[in-house]
Amino acid sequence: MKAVDLSSWSGVVELRSPDGSELWYSRACGEMTSDGYAIADIPPSAFADAVWASRRCGQWKVTVTSPDGGTKRTLGWGYYALSD
């Protein structure tokens, strides 16, 4: 499989409810690489609010958008579980 150059694209990571219907957190990816990585650091402080005690698991998704905004793709998705 050949790596795709994402260095000029933009990316967003989302954390959603278990059924995916509610968006709980969204953050731009801090780095898009020439070898196909979208890197998003989520700081621990993002989960400091008491509401996260009831949001311990759900779905995550990373989407990327082309430089001209004309193409949007899902780069990856899955499930997350927060632990202490």
Side-chain angles (χ1 to χ4, degrees):
M1 185 159 88
K2 183 180 174 189
V4 175
D5 184 354
L6 294 177
S7 60
S8 61
W9 289 54
S10 60
V12 175
V13 61
E14 297 177 345
L15 300 181
R16 295 184 162 271
S17 58
D19 67 1
S21 65
E22 295 178 56
L23 176 61
W24 289 343
Y25 181 84
S26 178
R27 181 179 180 99
C29 295
E31 184 179 355
M32 305 295 289
T33 70
S34 61
D35 55 351
Y37 289 94
I39 301 168
D41 289 322
I42 301 175
S45 61
F47 306 108
D49 194 13
V51 71
W52 287 99
S54 64
R55 296 179 177 178
R56 304 305 288 175
C57 63
Q59 296 184 29
W60 66 268
K61 181 167 125 176
V62 175
T63 55
V64 294
T65 304
S66 64
D68 66 3
T71 303
K72 184 175 181 179
R73 298 277 189 256
T74 298
L75 187 61
W77 64 272
Y79 299 93
Y80 72 87
L82 298 176
S83 61
D84 296 332

